Amino acid sequence: MRLFVFKYIMNDTLENFKNQKYVNALSLLTIIFTFFVINIFFFLKVNIGEFTNKFASEYRAEIFLKKDNNNQHDKLINLLKQEPLIKKYVFTDSKQAKELFLKNFPELKQTVEDIGENPFPSSIRVYFKGKNRKKINEFIDKYKQYPAVKEIKTNLLLIDKLKGAQRVVIITGLFFGSILLFTSFFTIVNIIKIVAYSRKEEVSILKMVGASNFYIELPLILNGIILGVVGALISVILFEITLMILPYYLKGFYDFIRPLIGTSNLSAKYYFYLIIIAGFVGGFSSYTSVSKFLRKEE
Amino acid sequence: MIQFSSVYKSYTRGEYALEGVSLKIDKGDFFFITGHSGAGKTTFLKLITREIKPTKGAIIINGKNISVIPENKIFVFRREVGVIFQDFRLLQDRSVFDNVALSLKIRGLPLKTIKKEVLEVLRWVGIHHKIWKRTRTLSGGEQQRVAIARAIVGKPSIILADEPTGNLDEEISFEIMEMFKKLNTRGATVIIATHDKFLINRYAKNILSLKKGKIENLRVVQ
Ligand SMILES: Nc1ncnc2c1ncn2[C@@H]1O[C@H](COP(=O)(O)OP(=O)(O)OP(=O)(O)O)[C@@H](O)[C@H]1O
Ligand SMILES: [Mg+2]
């Protein structure tokens, strides 16, 4: 195969685009929409995932202590030290708790001062080894009874909710993503069919003068690949622009949700794979179309 | 050499467009096929290019049974055959150059070479002054020249022409026939399907007459 063939094939490909610019534009829109929606779902998944990692990657409990019982506190800590279930613990006395709070919310300083007495209890944060819920619950039931303990809070429920949310996003994403991918697939199949039919006469002439299937079919397959790649690329650009301008439109609301939805953008690697997959979908669709509508022989 | 051995072709069950045709056409032959409309002339030519496959029988060309060449390899063989149709089959919206260049582009020749060879062949058929015109603006005789140029620019060893003069007036018909004669003296096997008795009387040496798909008469002069 000589190099010039590729030049002629590229010319044919561009010629097809020019001749069928409206149908091509239409299918491009479908593809952009498809991958835009896929981007949204991946974005949600990544950010919920990040949130989960930040707040709920390991099981832990906050043991809030009753006041002014230093003796009891030390006893409890000694007990915890011997617990095989506990990986590590961090003790925060009420003074530290107050300082930490004021550091995070300096504007509430006055309110805290107004209360007078330090409202923050001392606490011990314990990190569990492993994820055996039964053992963790037994541990909590046991220590709840302990005289120095006021209350124990775990992050088990939070973990469940985040996992549930992530699952919902993944399932709806898969559902809509695959429907849209199928839509794109059929759109490309039909667009290529239209292009192939519009070139029917030329194809029969090409066959007669001895063009290889490669020469005849590659422009159509490239057409599909280009639609996929360009469509995905535009969806990526549109999505990034949306992320950039969204804060300006949602202002207050966005400030509120931003810490909740996390800060991860989709990675370059994700986009790279997205575009590769889009190209593959485009190529596969057009190949399907070509082998269905072009390769007929009596 | 082209050899048909008891070739049958049926488009619709029970009806034969060609029925038990056996013959040999030698390399370098100037060969005519004649017969009434529907006799099977076009079918005969389409079998040679393998646009269609025989229902039964074998077609051996240059020692190869072309029926068994896989679909994705047949293009190599087709480059050996130049075809000219009665209705020209040109791309009407493209220039004369584009139409003829097609035969060379598919071979991946550099554009410079293609330009040179296309111009040369257009000179030979006498249409080079219209090289950049769209084919739809040409007369029938001019279009036929373009079709011939496209068929021969790749220097095929076999040239097939289906009613090449059907749409042309007498004078131009003779010019076209002279071209085929010249191509033949250069070594190409030329096969022409026509029911023009006048042309046959004037040019035909070897001739196959078909009648309803069967050989009515076969005249081969050694
Ligand atoms: N694609 C097809 N499908 C069905 N029947 C066909 C097809 N092509 C040709 N035939 C039939 O086969 C027979 C031979 O047709 P063919 O075209 O070979 O005749 P011909 O000798 O070239 O006629 P003409 O002089 O009119 O061109 C005819 O009866 C025709 O109707
Ligand atoms: Mg015919």
Side-chain angles (χ1 to χ4, degrees), chain B residues 65-185:
Chain B
N65 182 348
I66 61 163
S67 301
V68 302
I69 302 175
E71 207 275 327
N72 61 349
K73 295 269 160 56
I74 195 71
F75 71 94
V76 180
F77 162 73
R78 288 210 177 113
R79 289 178 187 180
E80 276 302 301
V81 186
V83 191
I84 297 134
F85 301 92
Q86 181 177 354
D87 58 357
F88 317 132
R89 286 215 214 166
L90 297 171
L91 294 169
Q92 296 290 327
D93 286 330
R94 306 277 187 86
S95 67
V96 169
F97 173 81
D98 280 350
N99 271 278
V100 179
L102 214 57
S103 295
L104 298 179
K105 278 187 179 170
I106 55 143
R107 292 163 208 237
L109 297 182
L111 203 56
K112 226 171 142 187
T113 315
I114 293 179
K115 276 185 179 148
K116 197 178 126 265
E117 300 205 353
V118 169
L119 191 64
E120 198 172 294
V121 77
L122 287 176
R123 274 215 181 88
W124 193 82
V125 298
I127 196 81
H128 56 283
H129 54 289
K130 301 223 164 159
I131 182 166
W132 300 117
K133 288 263 187 296
R134 283 177 187 235
T135 45
R136 72 155 82 255
T137 66
L138 305 185
S139 73
E142 288 168 334
Q143 293 203 27
Q144 190 62 297
R145 287 167 206 266
V146 178
I148 292 171
R150 181 182 65 193
I152 66 174
V153 71
K155 302 189 170 61
S157 61
I158 299 168
I159 295 165
L160 309 179
D162 196 356
E163 303 283 3
T165 60
N167 283 333
L168 309 177
D169 68 34
E170 213 170 286
E171 198 180 329
I172 298 184
S173 295
F174 283 125
E175 280 178 35
I176 298 285
M177 289 309 289
E178 286 306 321
M179 284 183 202
F180 288 128
K181 200 79 210 152
K182 263 192 215 154
L183 290 165
N184 179 242
T185 47

Side-chain angles (χ1 to χ4, degrees), chain A residues 215-247:
Chain A
Y215 189 96
I216 293 169
E217 291 169 7
L218 196 59
L220 296 169
I221 289 166
L222 279 178
N223 194 330
I225 294 175
I226 290 171
L227 282 176
V229 168
V230 172
L233 200 65
I234 294 176
S235 87
V236 166
I237 293 167
L238 284 181
F239 187 72
E240 284 292 312
I241 291 174
T242 308
L243 283 185
M244 269 195 291
I245 61 171
L246 210 59

Side-chain angles (χ1 to χ4, degrees), chain A residues 25 27-37 39 184 227 230-232 234-236 238:
Chain A
S27 71
L28 197 61
L29 285 180
T30 317
I31 294 156
I32 293 170
F33 181 72
T34 299
F35 286 101
F36 192 83
V37 172
N39 286 339
S184 285
L227 282 176
V230 172
I234 294 176
S235 87
V236 166
L238 284 181

